[in-house]
Amino acid sequence: MRPRVSAAQPQEPRTSRRRAPIALTIGVLAVLVIAFFVFTGLYADVLWYDQLGFLEVLTTQWVARTVLFVIGFLAMAVPVWASIQIAYRTRPVYAKFNSQLDRYQEVFEPLRRLAMYGVPVVLGIFAGVSTSSRWDLTLTWLNRTPFGSTDPQFGFDLGFYVFELPFYRSIVGFASAVVLLSLLLVAATNYLYGAIRVSGREVVISKSARVQIALTAGLYLLLQGVSIWLDQYATVTETGSLITGAAYTDVHAVIPGRQILAVAAAIVAVLFVVTAIIGRWRLPLVGIALLVVSSLLIGSLYPWVVQRFQVDPSPRTLEAEYIQRNIDLTRDAYGVADTEEIPFEAQTTAEPGALRADAETTANIRLMDPLVISPAFRQLEQFRQYYQFPDSLDVDRYEIDGQTQDTVVAVRDLDLSGLGDAETWYNSHIVYTHGYGMVAAAGNQRSAGGQPVFVQSGIPSTGDLGEFEPRVYFGETSPDYSIVGAPEDTKPVELDYPAGGENDEQTQTTFEGDGGPKLDNVFTKLVYALKFQSEQIFLSDAVNTSSQILYDRDPIERVRKVAPYLTPDSDAYPSVVDGRVVWIVDAYTLTDQYPYSNKVSMSEAIADSEGLPQTLPFDEVNYIRNSVKATVDAYDGSVNLYAWDDEDPILKTWQKVFPATIKPMSEMSGDLMAHVRYPADMFKMQRAVLGRYHVTDAGAFYSREDAWTTPKEPTEGANTTLLQPPYYLTMQMPGQDAPSYSLYSTFIPEARGDQSRNVLRGYLAVDADAGSTDGKRAGGYGKLRLLTLPEDDNVPGPGQVQATFNSDPTVSQSLNLLKQGQSDVINGNLLTVPVGGGLLYVQPVFVKSTGNTSYPLLQKVLVAFGDDIAFQDTLDLALDVLFGGDSGADAGDNEVDPNATPETPGDGEGEGDGSTDGSTDGSAATSPEFQQLLRDASGFLKAKQAALTDGDWAAYGAADAQLAETIAKMLALTNGE
């Protein structure tokens, strides 16, 4: 009997068996860690939105995204999976394969089950993510609001193009992608399993494969027909070579052509269905070929022929109707249709007493340039190195002593980099938690030394703005997060403000508001320790059950988060409202789907010398409304949204989506109404449009006979590309009964090649004052007025006026003297004011020592009216000189003594005491040399006045030059040289 031989079975190594559970455990732990990090991020968002009272915004987005993800996943995965399964289950049982296909099957077969389920799942995930990102489009479609007016081409309500058409096109596009992927995978599966065989030039397709492929291809062609049909409606929102919207060629060639092609695609789809039944491929293949040829002939060649041989020879006549549509709907979309155009015959001769009728406007001309005097705020009001002011200050207005006063304002915010070596975690997040105080300077006044005249200043804050909460926990430069709050009877640890004095005492405080999520348990501490990647939040004994964490503190960012459907203005400005410092933020509803409206790049339109172009998530727009006024409390960060334009259909739609987030305008207090203003970014968009669309005649518009543009910033030099920004001023426009807080800009002719005439052609101003009545907007608010100057009236533009200032011998000589003694001369904003029947230019001139800690002082004022200019120590004196000895009105700086000692800032330590008397330490001012210079200056000033009275301009210029030289010596003496 032969012994049985048993083959030894290979055994898996023990080490491999041991590693498998370890690897699985590590993988599970990694997934759990990632999931926990994701959860903590989501939970932190819930806490933030819930504390702020806007949890509905977050949950609505989550629900919408989740539902759309599921819909997108199923809409992609199920059809793809079903198509693969049908192709596999109907494969030929006894198919003959070639050797190459056999190898493919050997490789694929072990992975077949994974691929048949994995491919649909992966595609479904991608589709779900893509679909969930369109949550806003879906919600606006579900809650759409009619505009109440129709487009001139198809007669649909404008809301169809804004809310419906983009949604329908996205649905068709998604469905086309699903069907196309299914078709490709069906073809691949059938080929792999022999239902499709290629033998030389012969292609053999089984019946089941033929039916499935033909029906899928027919469905795809049908969807393409629907897509082409919808594309005809998109012509009214597409930008062509001439206008945005359907022009002559579009109406007479493109739209009919797309209708024909849509029907043709549907017919070809039917031919594929016929093929599925009868098995003949010739008809659909011929149909596809004819469809391609038709698309070339009807979709491309025919429109080109119409444009080239019919439109181009007579464009002004044939395009007139469509240009008029573009003009009318563009003006509607940007809110400029009701602009009042006022022909303005500008006076150019400066007659004595010409400003008598404009005395109130003259008294409010702003001399303090918000872009120039920020260093003065820092030197005089910063006090400590851990405070700061922004480079660009804001303009607001307050009622002081019964009169409205334009002011330059800023909050004293934190600058943690100023702590130096003391910038520890504890100091940065526990001790230094907030800024302190609002600082405001009169816009039309200055001290005798050229400093700003503060109407609110100091620490503690004092002034004319009344009692208010001065602490700024939420500002534009607040730390990324601060931990505040403590139990009662606990010693405060937050620095409130430095008390000053010899002992340099500091005052501490404890935050008492509700400004952020509470860190009252171990889990929330852990959540925020992970969010901010700081173990100190979890370990520090300064974090207690009464602690709150404040973050996302920038006011614009807070508005953007609680209202993701709005586009905030690029500038938030602080105001004292009802005893609180609040940030006021204008917010817009936008779209790029408004029919026939010209599209404008918002980032380019709002960019000027005050702000460079910025990246916007929604840039190319053709409709804008200032639909919401938002406020952010600087102390507790609470956000309020008020419906400012409750007739805006886009805002109405979003109010249906988030019904409890926006308050009616009736809840705005009168104090808040007194500080809201017409937004600058919207005004910039409107001026960009009105540069061309002030022309309402189609023929003139086509010829661009009177196209305008915004002047370049005149103080930046001839080669600058930066635009001059609009300015807020209190003034009276023609057509107004009294001066009001306004925003204005100017226009010059649009450059043709290298030719550019810097003469004034238009002056646009809007009434920016909303009144001061609770919940009621002033009737004149938002009224646009456009002064149009005659073509033959060569009123100089800002650039030409600046060039005249720079080239005037007397001015140049004086400025050169001011530049001596290590001083820089800074030209302030060049303002254009409609007074005296013409246009008055005013430019403050600042002098700044070249020392590291010096700041600009207002020393001179340049004015121009027509071709006449004047250059004096004060605006009041300059106007009198310009208008023949008596302008007829007093400027806001008429109380400044031109004989007073001008002050040049020295190189102090940047910790001013807030005083505004303009005095120095007296060491130089009391010297005999200085006193003699002062007497000389007084004599030269009297000589100037005598020469002015006698009309002796040569003597006047000589005296003015001697006075400037004397002042330069005084500046040098007080500067310690």
Side-chain angles (χ1 to χ4, degrees):
M1 181 173 165
R2 299 178 61 183
R4 179 179 299 173
V5 179
S6 61
Q9 299 293 327
Q11 297 184 0
E12 185 179 359
R14 294 183 179 179
T15 55
S16 299
R17 291 200 298 268
R18 292 196 197 102
R19 289 173 182 169
I22 296 175
L24 180 62
T25 302
I26 293 175
V28 171
L29 289 176
V31 171
L32 290 176
V33 169
I34 294 173
F36 181 72
F37 273 94
V38 173
F39 170 76
T40 56
L42 298 177
Y43 185 63
D45 287 340
V46 170
L47 294 176
W48 189 89
Y49 278 92
D50 186 47
Q51 182 277 325
L52 206 53
F54 286 86
L55 184 59
E56 174 193 0
V57 175
L58 182 64
T59 56
T60 299
Q61 290 184 69
W62 281 2
V63 170
R65 287 178 181 273
T66 302
V67 171
L68 288 174
F69 177 85
V70 172
I71 292 174
F73 176 85
L74 294 177
M76 175 64 79
V78 172
V80 169
W81 174 82
S83 298
I84 296 175
Q85 289 294 322
I86 292 172
Y88 176 74
R89 294 179 184 277
T90 59
R91 70 192 186 280
V93 179
Y94 302 106
K96 295 182 179 180
F97 303 103
N98 56 41
S99 58
Q100 185 176 9
L101 207 55
D102 281 336
R103 288 195 297 271
Y104 289 159
Q105 281 198 357
E106 289 177 4
V107 174
F108 179 74
E109 193 61 29
L111 304 174
R112 176 179 57 81
R113 186 174 297 275
L114 176 63
M116 286 186 172
Y117 287 92
V119 170
V121 167
V122 171
L123 292 176
I125 291 174
F126 281 108
V129 171
S130 175
T131 305
S132 66
S133 66
R134 309 285 285 178
W135 66 271
D136 50 349
L137 181 64
T138 305
L139 291 181
T140 53
W141 175 75
L142 291 171
N143 298 275
R144 57 192 180 274
T145 303
F147 273 67
S149 54
T150 59
D151 79 281
Q153 179 59 37
F154 297 102
F156 293 141
D157 184 271
L158 301 183
F160 169 79
Y161 300 96
V162 176
F163 303 123
E164 298 182 53
L165 183 59
F167 178 77
Y168 298 147
R169 296 181 78 185
S170 67
I171 291 295
V172 173
F174 180 85
S176 297
V178 172
V179 174
L180 180 60
L181 288 171
S182 298
L183 179 61
L184 294 175
L185 290 171
V186 164
T189 303
N190 280 303
Y191 176 76
L192 188 62
Y193 287 98
I196 300 177
R197 298 191 303 275
V198 179
S199 178
R201 295 185 178 181
E202 184 181 5
V203 178
V204 180
I205 304 176
S206 68
K207 181 179 179 181
S208 60
R210 182 195 75 215
V211 172
Q212 187 178 9
I213 292 174
L215 291 178
T216 306
L219 180 58
Y220 180 76
L221 264 295
L222 183 62
L223 288 171
Q224 295 312 296
V226 175
S227 177
I228 295 171
W229 186 266
L230 292 176
D231 286 346
Q232 68 172 314
Y233 303 127
T235 56
V236 299
T237 60
E238 294 172 347
T239 300
S241 59
L242 180 63
I243 59 172
T244 296
Y248 183 91
T249 300
D250 298 307
V251 171
H252 293 85
V254 174
I255 292 175
R258 289 179 179 177
Q259 293 172 346
I260 294 172
L261 290 174
V263 174
I267 293 174
V268 176
V270 173
L271 294 179
F272 272 101
V273 175
V274 172
T275 295
I277 299 172
I278 67 174
R280 294 180 179 274
W281 289 96
R282 179 173 298 176
L283 287 177
L285 293 178
V286 171
I288 289 178
L290 292 176
L291 185 61
V292 171
V293 173
S294 299
S295 65
L296 294 175
L297 294 176
I298 300 175
S300 299
L301 182 60
Y302 179 60
W304 179 82
V305 171
V306 171
Q307 180 68 36
R308 182 65 182 270
F309 298 103
Q310 189 172 357
V311 177
D312 288 350
S314 307
R316 185 166 178 150
T317 303
L318 296 181
E319 301 284 20
E321 176 185 355
Y322 311 104
I323 293 175
Q324 195 62 53
R325 294 178 180 180
N326 175 252
I327 292 172
D328 295 339
L329 288 173
T330 297
R331 289 171 64 91
D332 287 338
Y334 289 93
V336 299
D338 296 329
T339 300
E340 180 183 357
E341 293 196 18
I342 304 172
F344 190 63
E345 297 280 350
Q347 298 292 324
T348 56
T349 303
E351 300 289 344
L355 303 185
R356 188 165 288 112
D358 299 292
E360 192 172 349
T361 297
T362 305
N364 282 285
I365 295 175
R366 179 175 48 77
L367 296 176
M368 290 294 156
D369 186 346
L371 287 177
V372 173
I373 66 170
S374 181
F377 273 51
R378 295 191 190 105
Q379 290 296 312
L380 300 173
E381 287 293 325
Q382 184 168 310
F383 290 102
R384 291 295 185 270
Q385 73 279 5
Y386 47 78
Y387 288 133
Q388 66 175 319
F389 290 100
D391 293 332
S392 177
L393 309 182
D394 292 297
V395 178
D396 200 357
R397 73 276 191 204
Y398 290 89
E399 186 173 324
I400 300 174
D401 296 331
Q403 292 189 351
T404 300
Q405 171 73 64
D406 288 2
T407 56
V408 179
V409 299
V411 295
R412 188 183 291 107
D413 214 340
L414 278 179
D415 179 13
L416 294 181
S417 63
L419 295 176
D421 295 339
E423 194 179 355
T424 62
W425 180 89
Y426 189 87
N427 280 339
S428 299
H429 301 291
I430 303 295
V431 177
Y432 294 90
T433 59
H434 60 278
Y436 191 93
M438 170 88 105
V439 178
N444 61 342
Q445 299 175 30
R446 62 160 184 184
S447 70
Q451 297 173 337
V453 174
F454 292 106
V455 297
Q456 189 75 32
S457 61
I459 293 182
S461 187
T462 58
D464 298 322
L465 304 190
E467 296 294 328
F468 60 91
E469 171 58 61
R471 297 166 185 86
V472 180
Y473 283 88
F474 293 83
E476 294 176 310
T477 58
S478 296
D480 54 352
Y481 71 92
S482 293
I483 298 175
V484 299
E488 294 184 6
D489 302 326
T490 301
K491 183 179 179 180
V493 296
E494 298 177 49
L495 172 68
D496 198 18
Y497 58 85
E502 295 180 359
N503 297 326
D504 196 24
E505 298 176 354
Q506 295 180 342
T507 302
Q508 275 73 35
T509 187
T510 299
F511 179 77
E512 297 179 351
D514 182 14
K518 292 180 171 55
L519 302 176
D520 52 2
N521 59 68
V522 173
F523 182 70
T524 54
K525 290 181 183 179
L526 178 60
V527 166
Y528 283 102
L530 293 174
K531 178 178 178 61
F532 292 105
Q533 300 180 14
S534 173
E535 72 281 359
Q536 303 292 345
I537 297 177
F538 188 77
L539 300 175
S540 176
D541 59 0
V543 183
N544 52 71
T545 56
S546 298
S547 294
Q548 302 174 42
I549 184 167
L550 313 181
Y551 63 97
D552 287 339
R553 301 160 78 175
D554 180 84
I556 292 179
E557 179 61 24
R558 289 178 80 80
V559 171
R560 184 180 287 115
K561 288 188 68 173
V562 302
Y565 50 90
L566 297 175
T567 299
D569 192 272
S570 59
D571 180 38
Y573 60 98
S575 292
V576 176
V577 176
D578 299 320
R580 313 277 286 193
V581 176
V582 300
W583 296 93
I584 300 177
V585 183
D586 289 285
Y588 310 109
T589 45
L590 310 168
T591 184
D592 60 352
Q593 297 298 311
Y594 198 89
Y596 276 102
S597 177
N598 186 57
K599 293 182 180 180
V600 174
S601 170
M602 188 171 184
S603 61
E604 293 180 5
I606 68 176
D608 52 35
S609 61
E610 291 186 347
L612 298 177
Q614 51 187 292
T615 302
L616 297 175
F618 192 32
D619 192 16
E620 290 285 338
V621 301
N622 64 357
Y623 172 93
I624 182 171
R625 289 291 184 271
N626 178 208
S627 54
V628 170
K629 299 286 187 182
T631 63
V632 179
D633 192 289
Y635 183 75
D636 61 20
S638 57
V639 179
N640 289 302
L641 306 175
Y642 299 98
W644 190 250
D645 187 352
D646 54 9
E647 297 299 320
D648 174 33
I650 300 180
L651 180 64
K652 287 182 177 181
T653 298
W654 283 111
Q655 284 180 300
K656 296 175 187 177
V657 178
F658 304 113
T661 59
I662 301 179
K663 300 178 180 180
M665 184 176 61
S666 59
E667 295 189 22
M668 297 177 69
S669 69
D671 201 7
L672 176 57
M673 296 291 289
H675 290 283
V676 299
R677 66 191 189 189
Y678 199 85
D681 282 358
M682 181 167 176
F683 185 76
K684 293 175 185 178
M685 293 283 285
Q686 290 173 324
R687 76 174 180 180
V689 169
L690 282 172
R692 290 190 61 190
Y693 286 87
H694 68 279
V695 178
T696 57
D697 177 73
F701 182 90
Y702 176 81
S703 301
R704 301 186 73 168
E705 298 171 359
D706 195 22
W708 299 341
T709 188
T710 304
K712 299 296 189 293
E713 173 55 58
T715 63
E716 293 289 337
N719 296 324
T720 184
T721 59
L722 300 175
L723 300 180
Q724 186 180 38
Y727 295 116
Y728 289 99
L729 289 177
T730 295
M731 63 182 183
Q732 182 174 347
M733 285 280 288
Q736 286 184 292
D737 297 329
S740 67
Y741 191 63
S742 304
L743 181 63
Y744 87 88
S745 185
T746 58
F747 293 106
I748 61 174
E750 188 177 80
R752 301 292 177 87
D754 296 331
Q755 301 297 319
S756 178
R757 297 180 63 229
N758 205 296
V759 294
L760 219 56
R761 281 291 168 261
Y763 185 97
L764 178 67
V766 62
D767 190 340
D769 191 350
S772 57
T773 304
D774 292 349
K776 186 177 181 181
R777 185 168 50 223
Y781 173 88
K783 178 65 177 178
L784 287 160
R785 295 179 175 87
L786 177 62
L787 305 183
T788 59
L789 282 71
E791 287 285 340
D792 57 353
D793 194 353
N794 292 322
V795 176
Q800 189 173 336
V801 169
Q802 187 68 63
T804 301
F805 285 161
N806 296 340
S807 61
D808 182 85
T810 303
V811 173
S812 299
Q813 183 180 11
S814 299
L815 292 179
N816 289 333
L817 290 172
L818 291 174
K819 291 177 183 178
Q820 295 177 3
Q822 295 185 350
S823 295
D824 292 330
V825 174
I826 303 171
N827 290 325
N829 42 210
L830 181 58
L831 305 177
T832 311
V833 190
V835 291
L839 292 164
L840 172 70
Y841 286 94
V842 178
Q843 183 174 56
V845 178
F846 298 84
V847 177
K848 177 181 178 293
S849 170
T850 55
N852 292 332
T853 56
S854 62
Y855 56 91
L857 293 175
L858 178 57
Q859 294 296 327
K860 291 280 189 177
V861 179
L862 281 160
V863 293
F865 192 89
D867 294 327
D868 299 324
I869 69 171
F871 184 51
Q872 297 297 324
D873 297 331
T874 67
L875 175 60
D876 193 60
L877 182 57
L879 293 177
D880 284 341
V881 171
L882 183 65
F883 288 92
D886 180 16
S887 67
D890 292 331
D893 64 345
N894 62 345
E895 296 181 1
V896 178
D897 182 4
N899 294 326
T901 303
E903 178 187 350
T904 298
D907 297 337
E909 296 181 2
E911 299 179 4
D913 59 2
S915 64
T916 60
D917 58 3
S919 62
T920 64
D921 60 6
S923 60
T926 57
S927 68
E929 182 181 0
F930 187 92
Q931 294 300 315
Q932 181 59 47
L933 289 172
L934 184 59
R935 287 190 291 271
D936 293 342
S938 178
F940 293 137
L941 181 64
K942 293 178 180 178
K944 281 179 59 178
Q945 296 293 343
L948 178 65
T949 303
D950 298 335
D952 188 349
W953 297 110
Y956 177 88
D960 185 73
Q962 291 171 322
L963 176 61
E965 183 179 359
T966 304
I967 291 175
K969 293 179 180 178
M970 295 164 67
L971 288 173
L973 185 61
T974 56
N975 200 33
E977 297 182 9

